[in-house]
Amino acid sequence: MSAQNTVAAQPAPISKWILSAQALVNSPSRQDGMSLEEEREQLRKATGQIYRAGQESKIPKESIVTAMIFLIRFYGLQSFRKYNRFIIAQACLFLAAKVEETPTKLYVPFNLV
């Protein structure tokens, strides 16, 4: 089999960013035994943490919202039971600040946990 056939057979990377309704209902957290209400509460707390840490760090709202999107996308593919929401939230905030070109020191968001 040629290299061209191998590449063509693989799904496009963008497909990981588009979740079907079935994938959202049957999320990894739900598969790990978490109820829908508990999963929503975990998301609410994690996005609230991102918002508070971003405000305290004087990070622009665009970067804060980007961090929230990163977090929601992450937990669309991973379970809350496997990854600590506080650590993931801070990592998302730091990454979003870099992506949005809003320089911040690494220790600033982590001091706000």
Side-chain angles (χ1 to χ4, degrees), residues 2 5 17 19 21-22 34 40 60 63 72 75-76 96 106 110-111:
S2 71
N5 291 341
W17 287 97
L19 298 176
Q22 180 63 25
M34 188 176 281
R40 286 183 178 173
S63 296
I72 292 167
Y75 282 115
L106 183 60
F110 284 92
N111 285 340

Side-chain angles (χ1 to χ4, degrees), residues 25-82:
V25 170
N26 196 21
S27 70
S29 295
R30 302 284 309 279
Q31 291 174 4
D32 281 346
M34 188 176 281
S35 70
L36 179 61
E37 294 78 23
E38 188 179 0
E39 184 179 22
R40 286 183 178 173
E41 181 68 13
Q42 294 290 327
L43 272 175
R44 187 190 65 74
K45 287 180 179 179
T47 54
Q49 179 196 0
I50 288 173
Y51 181 78
R52 287 187 305 277
Q55 290 290 97
E56 290 288 326
S57 302
K58 297 184 175 36
I59 294 174
K61 286 188 173 71
E62 293 84 6
S63 296
I64 293 171
V65 171
T66 300
M68 289 177 182
I69 291 169
F70 286 166
L71 181 116
I72 292 167
R73 299 302 308 160
F74 179 83
Y75 282 115
L77 300 172
Q78 302 297 328
S79 174
F80 276 102
R81 300 211 180 199
K82 291 183 181 174

